[in-house]
Amino acid sequence: KNEVEQSPQNLTAQEGEFITINCSYSVGISALHWLQQHPGGGIVSLFMLSSGKKKHGRLIATINIQEKHSSLHITASHPRDSAVYICAVRDKGGSEKLVFGKGTKLTVNP
Amino acid sequence: DVKVTQSSRYLVKRTGEKVFLECVQDMDHENMFWYRQDPGLGLRLIYFSYDVKMKEKGDIPEGYSVSREKKERFSLILESASTNQTSMYLCASSLWGQEQFFGPGTRLTVL
């Protein structure tokens, strides 16, 4: 079974800083997801990627399949980016099940 | 926009009660999921359904059952609620191979 590790667990930044959150997994995957959870519970899918890089606004996600590693970057961070960011992977083999990391809690101070 | 709704945001039940959590999605997704989320443990899959009347156990199915009689609706049932089932319950849906869309969550407290 895949194991997903995220780092750091907690991250505090000043507004405007460049943020990087890392995710490593142990077994080959068909896709990796980055999710965002704000206080109050709602989870939103940010990216789904299986290779390369994707960008949406100030968010960039990259994945290195050979190294089994992905990063989520936030440029020009803002207090509204404060949330828990969760990495999840879908194993090869056609299953729709996801294996989740424990999340990274980001706090951006003004 | 895909919308996934859950029947309650907050629920308080007593030990031994039968509890129903309902999830409805409006985008004709084949797949539906029930997760629970606990501090320090992250999201864990309870049950998964890939079609009407079809279900598959997740990582922690003990103490739970599910029902999917219609494509848009997936119910989680706690046959006899216990205090260790106090948690945040999240429903999600997806098309095959695509991203999952999550509901707002139900925070269940069992006294």
Side-chain angles (χ1 to χ4, degrees):
Chain A
K1 184 184 169 179
N2 224 327
E3 293 184 0
V4 180
E5 297 285 336
Q6 285 186 237
S7 63
Q9 277 188 293
N10 293 283
L11 183 55
T12 301
Q14 289 301 121
E15 184 172 355
E17 285 185 11
F18 181 83
I19 305 289
T20 296
I21 299 170
N22 296 298
C23 175
S24 297
Y25 52 93
S26 56
V27 181
I29 62 170
S30 62
L32 182 142
H33 299 249
W34 281 104
L35 310 167
Q36 180 191 56
Q37 185 173 30
H38 277 109
I43 294 177
V44 174
S45 178
L46 297 174
F47 295 103
M48 184 181 77
L49 63 167
S50 54
S51 65
K53 177 177 168 178
K54 286 191 175 181
K55 184 175 189 289
H56 185 255
R58 295 179 295 106
L59 272 58
I60 303 165
T62 64
I63 188 167
N64 185 317
I65 296 294
Q66 286 72 33
E67 294 187 4
K68 297 186 178 64
H69 181 270
S70 174
S71 293
L72 176 68
H73 305 286
I74 305 174
T75 61
S77 59
H78 190 276
R80 65 175 175 266
D81 297 325
S82 297
V84 175
Y85 292 85
I86 302 168
C87 172
V89 301
R90 192 166 73 236
D91 286 344
K92 290 182 178 176
S95 173
E96 287 296 294
K97 295 179 187 178
L98 296 179
V99 178
F100 295 84
K102 290 187 169 55
T104 294
K105 185 177 180 183
L106 172 65
T107 303
V108 182
N109 293 317
Chain B
D1 277 354
V2 176
K3 194 158 185 188
V4 180
T5 57
Q6 294 183 227
S7 48
S8 307
R9 288 304 305 271
Y10 300 93
L11 206 52
V12 179
K13 295 292 181 181
R14 297 224 171 261
T15 300
E17 279 193 77
K18 191 168 186 175
V19 181
F20 292 87
L21 301 181
E22 299 275 306
C23 176
V24 178
Q25 50 93 6
D26 66 358
M27 282 302 290
D28 204 35
H29 286 173
E30 304 98 342
N31 305 311
M32 296 188 76
F33 308 82
W34 274 108
Y35 298 99
R36 65 178 280 177
Q37 186 178 33
D38 300 287
L41 296 177
L43 280 151
R44 293 180 292 167
L45 180 66
I46 305 171
Y47 266 99
F48 156 52
S49 170
Y50 51 90
D51 201 351
V52 174
K53 298 191 188 295
M54 305 303 287
K55 62 186 179 186
E56 195 172 310
K57 290 180 181 178
D59 299 317
I60 50 164
E62 298 79 18
Y64 303 94
S65 62
V66 290
S67 172
R68 192 161 180 206
E69 296 295 319
K70 293 186 178 182
K71 192 174 186 180
E72 67 270 18
R73 189 179 297 268
F74 192 34
S75 302
L76 180 69
I77 302 147
L78 287 65
E79 294 291 341
S80 177
S82 63
T83 55
N84 62 13
Q85 292 178 310
T86 291
S87 187
M88 169 70 90
Y89 290 87
L90 289 146
C91 174
S93 72
S94 74
L95 293 170
W96 278 105
Q98 301 301 310
E99 62 187 319
Q100 292 186 17
F101 292 84
F102 287 81
T106 295
R107 190 167 291 282
L108 172 67
T109 302
V110 182
L111 302 175

